Amino acid sequence: MNPIDPRTPVLIGVGQINDRLGSDDYQALSAVGLAAAAAERAVADAQASADLISVIDTVAGIRQFENSKPGLPAQLGRSNNYPRSVAQRLGAEPERAILEVTGGQGPQHLLTELAGEIAAGRGRVALLFGSEAISTARALLASEDRPDFTETVDGSLEDRGFGLRGIVSREFIGHGLVGAPAQYALLDNARRAKLGLGRAAYAEAIGALFAPFTEVAATNPYAAAPTVRGAEELVTVTEANRPIADPYTRYVVSRDQVNQGAALIVASVEAARELGVPEERWVYLHGHADLRDRPIMDRPDLADNPAARHACELALNMAGLTTEQVASWDFYSCFPIAVFMAAVDGLGLSTDDPRRLTVTGGLPFFGGSGNNYSMHAIAETVDRARKAPGSFGFVGANGGIAHKYSTGVYSTTPVEWRANPLAERLAQQAIDTDGPVPQVTRADGWARIESFTISHGKRGRTGIIIGRLESTGERFVARTDKDDDTLLALLTDAEQPVGERFWAFNVSVGNRATTTPERAAELARPVTGLRESYEHILVERDDHLLVITINRPLARNALFPAVHEELDSVFNAFFADPELWAAIITGAGERAFCSGNDLAYTASGKPTYLPASGFAGLTHRRDMHKPVIAAVNGFALGGGFEIALASHLCVADENAQFGLTEVKVGLIAVAGGIVRLPRVIPEKVALELLLTGRRMRPEEAQRLGLVNRIAPAGKALEVAKDLAAEILANSPTSVRLTLELHETTRANPDVVDAVGARTPVMDDLFGTADLIEGMAAFGQKRPPQWRNQ
C-alpha cells in the first residue's frame, strides 16, 4: 500500500459538554465558556504528546440562535468575536477565525470545507466548535446577580453573514409563517397527503419514527431530555404534550432550551504525526456532499427534499458504500419530516432499523443545540468509529426549512481526501431547474389546498394554507381569518384537507381563506365612499377636487400600515366617485411632504404590510384614469419620493428635497423607485440617485422632468390647486380617456405601433355626452357644462 498523502485530513479530537440546569455540577457557563470547555475536551481526546493548542491555525464557530437573524437580542450579552473569544480561553492564536452562516448544516459543511483546505495545503490544524446557553439565559435573565456574557476581543473575523437568502420570505412573514414548526408542518402534511394517510395513521408513523430516538437519548450523558417515551405517548395530546402546529405535539419538535457545546479538531496526517496523536484516534472523511434546495414556494413537490436525497446518495457513492454497509446513522431531526425525507424517502431506510437513525437521540430528545446539533452527531459518530475500527458512520445535517443539506461518511479506515465537484454541480443544477412553479402574491377565487397546518398560539388557532388557484394553477399562501371558523373547522375535522376546495381573497395584510365567496364578502368588509374623519390623514372635498393631507407632521409624515390603509380607502373612493375628477396629495406642516416608511414603527417589530394598491395606496395601483397631483412641501424621501413618482403631476415648493434614501438605512426602493425612476430620467442619473441616496433640489428635479412647477416656500398646495383648476376646466371624460390611452400604450416601444394600436378609447369617447357638449359650447361661444358622461 502506498503511503498516504501527508496532507490528508483526519479528525483527531472531539469533545462535548452539557451544563444541565439544576444538576450538581451546573456552572452557568456562557456560550463562549461552553465552547471552550468542549474544545478543551477535544484537545484532551486527541491524546497528543506535543502542544496541540499552539499549532491551531484556524478556528471556526457556529452561530448561536441569538445571532442567527438580524435584530435578535443577546439577553445576557455576547462576544463581538465568538471564535477568537474561544481561542483566547484556550490560549490559541490562530491566523484565521470564521463565523459560519446560519443553519444546522453548518458543522458538517464547515468540517468538509476545512478538511478540503487542509488537503489543498492551505491549513494544517483547525478547531471547530459551537454552543448554546439558552437555558441559562432564560433562567438567569431576571435574577438579581444575572451574569454579563459580553466579551470584546481583538483580531480578524471572517463573518459570513446570516446566509438567509431563500429562507426568510416576506410573504411567509406576512402570513404568520415566522417559526420553524409551522413551516415544517406544511411539508409533513404534504407528505401525508402524498402517501394517502389519514391523521391517525400519520401520527402513528411519527411516533414510530421518534420512539427509538428517545431510547438513544436516554443512554446519552449529554442529552437534554433522557427519557424513554413510547410511540403513542409522543403523539397523544395532553396538558404536558400540547399541540404546536398540526401534526406536531410538543414532544416531537426540536428542544432548544439547552446548555450544550461541542468541538472537533481536524488536522493533516503530517500534523497529526508531528503532534504525536495515536493513529487509532484518527478518523477519515470517506464521503461528503453539500446541496441546497429552493425556497419552499418554488419546490415542485412540497413532500420531497431533493437536496437531502441527492446529498445522501452522493456521500455514500463517494465512499463506495451501500446503505447495508453503514454501521451508524444520524439524521438531523428537528421535526419528523427532516428524517422522513432524507432517511426513509431518500435512502429507503426503515424507522425501525436496528442500527437506529440517530446516534445522539435527536433534537427533540438529545436537544436542539441550535445550529450546532450535528457537531454532536459527528462527535458521537467519531467515538463509535473508534470503538469499531473499520466501520462506517453517516451524518446528515439539515439547515433552514429543509433548504440546505450537508452529509459526511466517517471511518478509521485510511483514505486520501476525495471530492467530486462535478457530481455536486450536476445534482445542484437538477434541483435548481426542476419544474418552475407558477405563483401569485395576491390570490382571488376558487382554489384547492396543496398543504396546510393549524398553528396553536397564545391567541388561539390559525389555519395556514398553501393553495393553488383553480383557474391558473398558481400557488400562493393564505391564512384563515380571525373572525371565521368555517375553514378552520374543515382543516380540523376533515380526514384529509389536502385537495379540498376553498375560496381565497386578499385584504391589506395578505391572502385570506374561507369556504365560499359569500363568506369572503362578509369578512372583507369593504369600505365604500369617504368617511367623515380619519386618524392619520385629512380629506377635503372641494366640488370636483379632492385634497388629501398626510397628517403626521411630528413624524415628518412617515407612513406605517394604518396610514397606508386609510390612503388606500380614500383613493378607492376617489377613483370610484364620478363626481371627483382630480386629487391632490400633500403633507401637513412645512418640513415634509412624506419622509417615507416609518422606520421607528418598523424597528418595533410590529407587522408591516402594504395594501394591494401599494405604498400610500398609490404605487401599485392600476387604472389611475383620473389625475393625481403631488404637492411636495419639504422632504419627499424614500417612499415619499415614490408617491411623487406614482402621481401623474408634481408641484414642489422651493424648499423641497427629493431622494431615494433607502440604501442609507439598509433598505431598497421597492415601492416603485427602482422601476419608475430609470424610466423617466436618464438611466445613469437614476442609478446614481438610487445607489448614493443623494437628495435633489426642486430645480434639478424639474430639469430632469420630475417636477412640473416650482412654488414659493409654503405654496405648493396653492400652486397644485391652480394646476388642478386648469385640468378641471377641461372635459373630465377627455382627461380620463387621455390617461387611459397613455397607460395602455406606454409599454409599446414602437411609436407608430402605439399610435395605430387598436383601442376602445375613441369608441368610448364618441359615445359620451361631454364630446357633444364640448363641440356645442365651442360653436355657441359659451363655457361648457361638463357632466363626466
Side-chain angles (χ1 to χ4, degrees):
M1 180 178 177
N2 293 327
I4 198 162
D5 188 325
R7 296 183 302 181
T8 299
V10 287
L11 276 161
I12 60 172
V14 299
Q16 299 183 72
I17 185 172
N18 182 5
D19 191 25
R20 187 179 291 118
L21 200 69
S23 65
D24 293 339
D25 55 352
Y26 173 61
Q27 303 175 67
L29 295 173
S30 68
V32 169
L34 287 164
E40 288 172 352
R41 295 184 180 190
V43 170
D45 178 72
Q47 299 180 13
S49 58
D51 184 1
L52 170 56
I53 292 174
S54 66
V55 296
I56 294 172
D57 52 60
T58 302
V59 289
I62 301 296
R63 289 177 184 272
Q64 288 78 47
F65 271 158
E66 65 190 16
N67 192 25
S68 290
K69 291 181 182 179
L72 294 179
Q75 295 176 316
L76 296 180
R78 62 172 174 246
S79 171
N80 69 317
N81 190 329
Y82 171 63
R84 290 202 179 275
S85 280
V86 176
Q88 190 177 73
R89 297 282 182 95
L90 293 177
E93 297 180 356
E95 297 174 11
R96 187 181 182 194
I98 301 169
L99 185 61
E100 180 61 323
V101 300
T102 300
Q105 81 293 335
Q108 181 60 58
H109 171 81
L110 260 182
L111 178 58
T112 301
E113 176 191 340
L114 294 179
E117 291 286 290
I118 289 171
R122 292 188 290 268
R124 298 183 82 239
V125 181
L127 169 66
L128 295 72
F129 44 79
S131 54
E132 287 287 356
I134 297 176
S135 285
T136 288
R138 291 180 179 174
L140 302 183
L141 181 62
S143 66
E144 293 181 1
D145 55 345
R146 55 181 283 180
D148 184 359
F149 291 158
T150 302
E151 291 190 25
T152 301
V153 295
D154 296 327
S156 63
L157 175 64
E158 186 181 320
D159 188 337
R160 296 179 170 179
F162 299 112
L164 299 176
R165 185 175 183 180
I167 298 174
V168 174
S169 160
R170 183 177 178 181
E171 190 173 9
F172 270 25
I173 292 172
H175 289 86
L177 279 165
V178 294
Q183 295 183 65
Y184 274 100
L186 289 169
L187 306 182
D188 248 315
N189 279 327
R191 180 177 183 270
R192 173 163 83 86
K194 185 177 182 178
L195 296 175
L197 297 179
R199 293 178 187 275
Y202 201 70
E204 183 178 340
I206 290 174
L209 172 71
F210 273 162
F213 280 60
T214 72
E215 296 171 6
V216 175
T219 63
N220 190 327
Y222 302 111
T227 303
V228 175
R229 298 189 188 278
E232 186 176 354
E233 181 184 5
L234 289 173
V235 296
T236 300
V237 175
T238 63
E239 186 175 348
N241 192 29
R242 61 183 176 83
I244 303 294
D246 185 37
Y248 302 148
T249 57
R250 175 176 169 269
Y251 287 162
V252 300
V253 303
S254 179
R255 177 184 295 270
D256 62 1
Q257 293 196 48
V258 300
N259 296 324
Q260 293 173 323
L264 310 172
I265 302 174
V266 59
S268 67
V269 163
E270 180 181 59
R273 287 194 175 119
E274 291 174 0
L275 289 166
V277 177
E279 289 195 26
E280 63 267 22
R281 311 301 293 168
W282 300 3
V283 173
Y284 297 78
L285 189 56
H286 280 246
H288 54 85
D290 284 279
L291 293 173
R292 185 183 183 105
D293 211 336
R294 285 181 285 180
I296 289 176
M297 294 293 283
D298 293 343
R299 300 176 191 176
D301 184 354
L302 297 176
D304 185 27
N305 185 0
R309 178 161 41 85
H310 291 313
C312 292
E313 292 169 353
L314 287 173
L316 289 175
N317 290 340
M318 184 182 293
L321 300 174
T322 65
T323 55
E324 289 77 16
Q325 294 172 291
V326 177
S328 69
W329 301 98
D330 193 274
F331 293 94
Y332 197 95
S333 50
C334 49
F335 301 94
I337 189 65
V339 185
F340 281 139
M341 290 194 296
V344 180
D345 303 339
L347 293 179
L349 300 176
S350 172
T351 58
D352 61 357
D353 191 303
R355 295 167 292 183
R356 304 296 171 87
L357 301 182
T358 181
V359 295
T360 66
L363 280 83
F365 317 107
F366 171 82
S369 41
N371 302 313
N372 197 52
Y373 163 77
S374 287
M375 196 172 291
H376 292 271
I378 295 169
E380 291 283 345
T381 300
V382 166
D383 279 341
R384 292 193 180 203
R386 288 167 171 171
K387 291 172 182 176
S391 65
F392 292 89
F394 179 98
V395 173
N398 166 72
I401 310 298
H403 283 86
K404 313 172 192 178
Y405 214 85
S406 298
T407 50
V409 179
Y410 299 88
S411 177
T412 57
T413 301
V415 65
E416 292 191 355
W417 175 254
R418 292 180 287 195
N420 194 344
L422 177 59
E424 277 194 24
R425 187 163 62 250
L426 292 174
Q428 190 63 62
Q429 288 176 354
I431 294 169
D432 294 341
T433 58
D434 182 22
V437 179
Q439 296 174 46
V440 63
T441 300
R442 296 187 179 272
D444 275 296
W446 286 111
R448 298 279 178 176
I449 297 173
E450 186 175 9
S451 191
F452 77 99
T453 186
I454 300 171
S455 181
H456 298 258
K458 294 179 180 179
R459 298 182 179 179
R461 301 181 305 155
T462 302
I464 302 173
I465 293 170
I466 293 180
R468 294 280 191 127
L469 286 175
E470 288 186 347
S471 58
T472 63
E474 292 171 306
R475 179 185 279 169
F476 62 94
V477 61
R479 62 185 297 176
T480 55
D481 192 278
K482 61 182 178 62
D483 297 323
D484 179 40
D485 291 333
T486 57
L487 191 62
L488 195 59
L490 183 148
L491 298 178
T492 303
D493 300 335
E495 181 63 14
Q496 181 50 271
V498 171
E500 290 286 341
R501 200 178 195 215
F502 70 99
W503 183 267
F505 63 104
N506 69 76
V507 294
S508 294
V509 293
N511 296 318
R512 293 293 178 261
T514 189
T515 47
T516 65
E518 292 76 18
R519 184 64 179 136
E522 296 173 6
L523 295 168
R525 298 177 290 274
V527 177
T528 58
L530 297 171
R531 302 205 308 251
E532 289 186 4
S533 64
Y534 297 86
E535 185 176 357
H536 305 291
I537 62 177
L538 302 174
V539 177
E540 175 190 356
R541 183 172 188 152
D542 183 7
D543 197 12
H544 299 302
L545 176 65
L546 189 69
V547 178
I548 305 157
T549 304
I550 303 168
N551 190 29
R552 304 190 72 226
L554 296 180
R556 294 190 177 185
N557 296 320
L559 307 189
F560 66 100
V563 194
H564 293 304
E565 289 194 347
E566 290 189 351
L567 289 167
D568 172 65
S569 174
V570 168
F571 279 114
N572 286 342
F574 164 69
F575 285 108
D577 190 335
E579 294 303 313
L580 287 171
W581 299 351
I584 297 173
I585 182 168
T586 191
E590 298 178 356
R591 298 186 64 195
F593 165 70
C594 173
S595 58
N597 183 43
D598 189 331
L599 297 179
Y601 177 91
T602 302
S604 71
K606 297 176 183 176
T608 59
Y609 56 86
L610 295 175
S613 55
F615 198 88
L618 277 180
T619 59
H620 294 46
R621 187 180 291 273
R622 294 184 183 274
D623 303 326
M624 287 177 57
H625 299 156
K626 297 181 186 180
V628 176
I629 304 170
V632 177
N633 52 315
F635 298 114
L637 304 178
F641 191 3
E642 289 172 308
I643 296 172
L645 286 169
S647 301
H648 297 105
L649 303 172
C650 180
V651 173
D653 76 19
E654 59 189 15
N655 291 329
Q657 292 186 38
F658 296 86
L660 293 170
T661 54
E662 285 87 348
V663 292
K664 292 183 177 293
V665 292
L667 297 171
I668 59 175
V670 293
I674 294 173
V675 175
R676 283 193 171 97
L677 193 61
R679 298 188 182 196
V680 294
I681 69 173
E683 183 178 41
K684 283 185 168 52
V685 177
L687 289 174
E688 177 197 337
L689 293 168
L690 285 162
L691 300 178
T692 65
R694 178 175 69 82
R695 300 182 186 186
M696 285 187 297
R697 302 296 299 178
E699 295 79 13
E700 181 182 1
Q702 186 179 47
R703 188 169 63 253
L704 290 169
L706 297 169
V707 167
N708 298 90
R709 299 180 184 182
I710 298 176
K715 300 293 185 181
L717 179 57
E718 185 177 319
V719 174
K721 286 183 177 181
D722 291 341
L723 178 57
E726 293 180 37
I727 297 170
L728 293 172
N730 301 314
S731 163
T733 303
S734 297
V735 170
R736 172 172 53 82
L737 293 176
T738 295
L739 290 174
E740 183 177 339
L741 184 59
H742 169 68
E743 182 179 86
T744 56
T745 59
R746 64 181 171 181
N748 193 329
D750 188 286
V751 175
V752 176
D753 286 347
V755 172
R758 289 182 57 84
T759 171
V761 167
M762 287 305 294
D763 293 339
D764 293 345
L765 179 64
F766 278 106
T768 65
D770 278 354
L771 174 64
I772 304 302
E773 169 62 14
M775 292 189 294
F778 180 80
Q780 297 168 17
K781 295 182 173 50
R782 62 172 175 80
Q785 301 297 313
W786 305 118
R787 297 169 57 190
N788 197 24
Q789 294 179 354

